[in-house]
Amino acid sequence: MKKSEINFSIALDDQKVPEAISWQATDAGPNIHFAKAINIALWDRDERGTMKIDLWTKDMPVDEMKRFYVDTMGAMAESLQTATSDDKMARRIREVCRELMDHIEEEERKAK
């Protein structure tokens, strides 16, 4: 059986706020990759519930954070459709993503 690993490294400031997030994966080559935010959700098979890790660096702008979450939801819609063939749920999530993107774009227009 092939084994694959993903490792995250979080650099914290004196108040334990993330300053830098980096990751490396055996299937992504030897390079170290950098991120401003991570959102990891795991389904605990024993507790039958979701465990989450959400981290972002202090230099992550609010507008990018909002886009990050909308993109994450969109990716979840694709994964959900692939895993369950539930077209209705996937379509509803995509609709919410479109509404949220409209909201973000409207905020950006007002800020100009």
Side-chain angles (χ1 to χ4, degrees), residues 2 16 18 26 29 31 33 42 46 49 52 59-60 64 67 69 76 78 80 83 90-91 94 99-100 106-109:
K2 183 179 189 292
K16 298 185 180 178
T26 53
N31 294 339
H33 306 272
L42 306 166
D46 296 328
K52 289 182 50 42
D59 69 337
M60 177 76 165
E64 288 183 20
R67 287 179 182 273
Y69 276 101
M76 289 171 56
E78 298 304 314
L80 176 72
R91 185 179 66 254
R94 285 188 205 99
E99 289 175 22
L100 292 171
E106 179 65 24
E107 282 186 330
E108 289 173 350
R109 281 192 294 277

Side-chain angles (χ1 to χ4, degrees), residues 20-99:
I21 299 170
S22 62
W23 65 275
Q24 200 170 16
T26 53
D27 289 347
N31 294 339
I32 296 173
H33 306 272
F34 293 91
K36 288 185 180 178
I38 60 173
N39 175 314
I40 301 170
L42 306 166
W43 182 257
D44 185 294
R45 68 181 183 184
D46 296 328
E47 296 295 321
R48 296 184 47 92
T50 302
M51 299 173 60
K52 289 182 50 42
I53 299 170
D54 295 304
L55 295 171
W56 55 91
T57 59
K58 54 183 158 184
D59 69 337
M60 177 76 165
V62 171
D63 63 322
E64 288 183 20
M65 179 64 81
K66 290 179 181 183
R67 287 179 182 273
F68 171 63
Y69 276 101
V70 173
D71 285 351
T72 300
M73 290 171 56
M76 289 171 56
E78 298 304 314
S79 296
L80 176 72
Q81 188 168 29
T82 299
T84 67
S85 299
D86 191 327
D87 295 331
K88 181 177 181 178
M89 277 187 74
R91 185 179 66 254
R92 296 286 306 274
I93 293 170
R94 285 188 205 99
E95 289 169 2
V96 170
C97 289
R98 278 191 288 279
E99 289 175 22

